[in-house]
Amino acid sequence: MSDHQPSASRETRPGLLKGLLFLGVIAVSVAFLAAFVLSQRSAEGPLVVEEAPAPLSVDVMQAELKSALDLEEKFSGLVRARRSSDLGFSGGGRIADVTADVGDRVRAGQTLAVLDTRALRSQLASAEAQVAEAQASHKLAMSTVERQQTLLEKGHVAQQRVDEAAAQASTAQARIDAAKAQAESLRVQIDLARITAPYAGVITERMYDEGAIASPSAPVFKLVETGALEARIGLPSAVASELEAGRIYTLRSEQADVGARLRNVTGVIEAGQRTVTSTFDIIEPENVSVGAVVRLQMSRQVQEPGLWVPVSALSEGQRGLWSLYIAKREDNGWRVRPGLVEIVQNEGDRAYVRGAVSEGDRIIIDGLQRITPGQSVSPRFGETAETANGG
């Protein structure tokens, strides 16, 4: 027993010393950390925020309500020739000569192309010879009738001989008429073997050259009238009803402004575009080209109370409405309050709206992503506001 006790005492003392040493290290660490924290504290104690943040500076415009909306609307249309024709020969044949080309301005009655008519002229000469032959036969038949009538009066011949001579004279007259009709038909064919301009205009297409065989009724030229131009413009029925037939309106194009007299309004709403076609006769056709785009500008008033605001002042809301942010004075300061509005007319960078806006309200016009309802702001009048109000 005495041999084991000293060994146990030696094992216990080192374990106790290690525990005391560990506790000492922890105590020193805690003391060092406390000293560091105390050294970092302010002499005035913990910092406490006592002042509110500075209000956010925002650009605003002052609401100026209008009782109605004055609109300047533009409607576009195309200039077109009042008449355009595909010109060709009524009968086929070989083209002998072409005297007009694309781009040529031609006058009414000018010859543009002719067919080879040598065969027709030969037939016409034969028909005219038949007319002369028939006329000679008729002259002889009439002389025979006169002689037989004289002999009948003297009693030398019977009435039948007179009737037979008269019948031969009638047959000769019929041959004359048939020969003349044949000759006239050939003259018409020769005349139709020539293309002439039915009105003054410009050649826009040429399909055949000399020597080509033209088919009956095949187009050889396309002629567009230049002396009489018109413009057809689709208008909303409400605008079309305000136009006056016979009145002169100004149409604007890239080339020039031209006067145009309103000829008529169809009064029928086209199903596809929901517009009414109005036709204008251009008074100065030399100042505008066929195919040019022209615009009719119309002023009208819409009885909708509201105001103009820049598009940058709007944020999309719900159910087709939009939101404005208004700076309102509250408790000796300005705070952001929202207002719902509806867009009546949109014109590029501005919009005419109606809704929860009062006369004199300061509407925030920019930087909507930086603000929230109830936020404190400092309003200042921006340049965009002058553009919106000035229209």
Side-chain angles (χ1 to χ4, degrees):
M1 296 292 293
S2 60
D3 294 338
H4 293 287
Q5 289 178 353
S7 177
S9 177
R10 285 194 298 270
E11 292 178 359
T12 303
R13 285 194 208 93
L16 179 60
L17 290 175
K18 290 181 180 179
L20 292 174
L21 182 60
F22 179 72
L23 290 175
V25 172
I26 293 176
V28 172
S29 300
V30 171
F32 179 78
L33 181 61
F36 177 78
V37 171
L38 290 175
S39 67
Q40 299 299 316
R41 292 185 61 184
S42 173
E44 291 86 5
L47 297 176
V48 179
V49 178
E50 296 180 354
E51 297 181 359
L56 180 65
S57 180
V58 293
D59 291 335
V60 300
M61 63 171 286
Q62 187 167 347
E64 298 178 6
L65 298 181
K66 301 178 181 295
S67 59
L69 170 62
D70 294 323
L71 289 180
E72 292 289 338
E73 297 179 302
K74 296 180 180 179
F75 306 97
S76 301
L78 291 177
V79 175
R80 51 179 291 175
R82 186 182 298 182
R83 293 182 291 181
S84 63
S85 303
D86 291 332
L87 306 180
F89 299 103
S90 61
R94 188 182 68 85
I95 299 177
D97 191 18
V98 178
T99 59
D101 203 352
V102 175
D104 289 351
R105 293 184 177 272
V106 298
R107 64 183 183 277
Q110 179 178 336
T111 299
L112 308 179
V114 293
L115 291 175
D116 185 349
T117 58
R118 288 176 296 178
L120 290 175
R121 294 185 184 279
S122 177
Q123 295 175 32
L124 176 59
S126 176
E128 289 175 342
Q130 291 177 7
V131 170
E133 180 183 0
Q135 288 175 338
S137 298
H138 180 263
K139 183 177 181 181
L140 177 60
M142 291 301 297
S143 298
T144 301
V145 170
E146 292 177 0
R147 287 195 298 270
Q148 294 298 325
Q149 185 66 36
T150 301
L151 293 174
L152 176 64
E153 292 174 354
K154 295 180 178 180
H156 298 305
V157 295
Q159 181 65 40
Q160 182 179 354
R161 297 292 296 274
V162 176
D163 295 340
E164 290 174 352
Q168 291 178 358
S170 298
T171 301
Q173 182 62 50
R175 290 196 186 98
I176 293 175
D177 295 339
K180 286 183 176 180
Q182 178 64 21
E184 184 61 28
S185 174
L186 291 169
R187 291 189 187 96
V188 171
Q189 291 183 52
I190 292 173
D191 186 59
L192 293 178
R194 179 185 307 271
I195 297 178
T196 58
Y199 46 79
V202 61
I203 301 297
T204 59
E205 291 185 53
R206 168 178 163 174
M207 294 78 166
Y208 288 92
D209 295 322
E210 294 86 348
I213 303 300
S215 302
S217 303
V220 177
F221 298 102
K222 185 174 182 63
L223 176 66
V224 175
E225 187 177 25
T226 55
L229 302 181
E230 66 182 19
R232 296 186 179 182
I233 302 177
L235 302 172
S237 58
V239 176
S241 63
E242 299 177 1
L243 300 180
E244 301 177 14
R247 178 180 170 184
I248 297 177
Y249 295 85
T250 299
L251 301 182
R252 303 184 182 278
S253 71
E254 295 181 354
Q255 295 173 293
D257 293 349
V258 293
R261 180 177 286 103
L262 178 64
R263 188 198 313 166
N264 56 52
V265 177
T266 61
V268 178
I269 298 178
E270 297 183 6
Q273 301 180 355
R274 308 302 300 170
T275 57
V276 176
T277 301
S278 56
T279 305
F280 297 83
D281 292 326
I282 296 177
I283 298 175
E284 303 163 331
E286 65 276 3
N287 292 337
V288 67
S289 302
V290 175
V293 177
V294 291
R295 295 175 177 85
L296 173 66
Q297 183 169 318
M298 296 289 294
S299 301
R300 67 186 181 100
Q301 191 176 73
V302 180
Q303 298 300 322
E304 290 285 356
L307 76 159
W308 288 103
V309 297
V311 173
S312 60
L314 298 169
S315 61
E316 191 170 0
Q318 298 178 351
R319 298 189 299 273
L321 297 178
W322 296 77
S323 293
L324 287 175
Y325 287 105
I326 303 171
K328 290 187 176 291
R329 183 179 289 278
E330 298 179 4
D331 300 331
N332 297 325
W334 299 88
R335 293 195 176 275
V336 177
R337 300 300 178 200
L340 292 178
V341 294
E342 178 185 0
I343 295 179
V344 178
Q345 179 72 14
N346 194 344
E347 291 185 358
D349 58 353
R350 66 174 190 156
Y352 187 84
V353 300
R354 63 179 179 184
V357 182
S358 301
E359 182 73 22
D361 280 349
R362 285 171 167 76
I363 301 172
I364 300 174
I365 59 176
D366 202 2
L368 303 187
Q369 72 278 4
R370 301 181 300 153
I371 59 177
T372 58
Q375 183 177 351
S376 178
V377 293
S378 174
R380 64 184 181 189
F381 289 98
E383 296 180 358
T384 311
E386 298 179 2
T387 304
N389 285 328

